[in-house]
Amino acid sequence: MAAQILDGKALSQQVREEVKVEVDKLRGLGVRPGLHVVLVGDDPASAIYVRNKGRACEKVGINGVTHRLPKETTEEELLDLLGKLNADDEVDGVLVQLPLPGHISESRVNDAMDPARDVDGFLPVNLGRLLAGREGLVPCTPAGIIRLIDQSGTAIEGKRAVIIGRSIIVGKPVSLLLMQRHATITVCHSRTRELARLASEADILVAAIGRAKMVKGDWIKEGAVVIDVGMNRDENGKLCGDVDFDEAAGRAAWITPVPGGVGPMTIAYLLRNTVIACCARRGLPSPF
Ligand code: NDP
């Protein structure tokens, strides 16, 4: 069987168009959603992510503002900026690009952020809402993954979903979302025994590990949906996922490519979350 490609680039374009429709409506009401991205230091990968986020905002009409701070910025200075953003009514979403320099405590930064503007959905309040099954800001990559699975036409309910990775930004929230959609979930990590056997039982396999091509073809159940979150470099420096794509594509029914799978969905859902936050802060009904 040759897998069909779950095209995250095309699907993310659709999500962006949906977002633009809602941004246009808000602008008709005199409201322009604003997303503020804070970048501390000069990590080159972070600089690229931040630039891409700014461009994506522009394209859908969101006011994207980047605050570039030098790597010597003190924790107090960063907390001071976050305080100012929390007090500014034009600011609907705030995102602090990770990783932060070592002298700044991530948890103190998180504590200084307003959960209503937490468009990454990483703050404990929003993760707690997700756990409780209540409305809130859902982390972007996991939300994008669910949309990709839905796009394949696969009914999630009753399926066996195996998630490799238990990070707070991908593995854990995507597991909760899949459970909310009535999948039976197995969450694997670095201490999991018989990983290959567990993976091979998955109707839906999500790999969020950060290890190039670790998931081999014989780990894949015939006809599975394979979502590859990983963004790694292979031995030739080429961008690749956590799944050995060529091998897995011979067995899966659907598979996401890297690049062009989960990555573009993450940015699209960031824009979507900004509109959700904007509406919620202003007492407007959620458009999505
Ligand atoms: P983390 O490093 O935070 O988590 C990795 C997870 O994989 C951990 O739970 C870890 O287990 C598990 N793991 C590591 N090695 C093994 C192993 N040998 N066997 C089984 N499990 C293992 O990574 P993230 O969740 O932040 O990211 C994962 C990947 O996804 C990365 O490549 C990242 O770049 C990419 N990513 C892509 C995004 C996108 O938009 N496309 C967005 C976010 C991430 P343990 O908990 O035991 O340490």
Side-chain angles (χ1 to χ4, degrees), residues 147-271:
R147 179 76 177 256
L148 279 162
I149 299 169
D150 284 340
Q151 181 70 10
S152 75
T154 305
I156 297 174
E157 183 172 341
K159 293 282 167 21
R160 180 81 189 271
V162 175
I163 301 96
I164 314 181
R166 56 175 165 177
S167 73
I168 206 86
I169 65 172
V170 190
K172 277 187 192 134
V174 81
S175 306
L176 290 172
L177 288 172
L178 285 163
M179 186 163 54
Q180 240 173 45
R181 293 284 299 272
H182 311 295
T184 301
I185 60 164
T186 302
V187 184
C188 304
H189 46 76
S190 65
R191 319 288 168 89
T192 297
R193 294 181 193 163
E194 297 188 76
L195 183 60
R197 185 184 61 74
L198 289 171
S200 71
E201 291 172 1
D203 303 308
I204 298 168
L205 180 66
V206 179
I209 313 162
R211 290 183 186 249
K213 301 182 188 176
M214 192 182 104
V215 176
K216 303 298 175 200
D218 59 1
W219 296 28
I220 309 291
K221 182 177 176 178
E222 289 280 348
V225 177
V226 177
I227 305 291
D228 190 353
V229 188
M231 286 204 294
N232 316 293
R233 298 273 164 195
D234 69 9
E235 58 283 3
N236 304 314
K238 207 175 140 213
L239 199 61
C240 73
D242 290 339
V243 177
D244 188 317
F245 182 89
D246 294 335
E247 287 184 19
R251 293 168 70 107
W254 292 92
I255 187 165
T256 58
V258 178
V262 174
M265 296 300 287
T266 299
I267 292 199
Y269 269 75
L270 175 67
L271 304 174

Side-chain angles (χ1 to χ4, degrees), residues 15 29 32 39 43 45 49 52-53 56 75 83 99 124 127 138 147 153 168 204 207 223 228 255 264 268:
V15 175
L29 299 172
R32 185 166 185 210
L39 174 64
D43 178 67
Y49 293 145
N52 290 344
K53 286 168 187 170
E75 191 174 276
L127 290 169
V138 174
R147 179 76 177 256
I168 206 86
I204 298 168
D228 190 353
I255 187 165

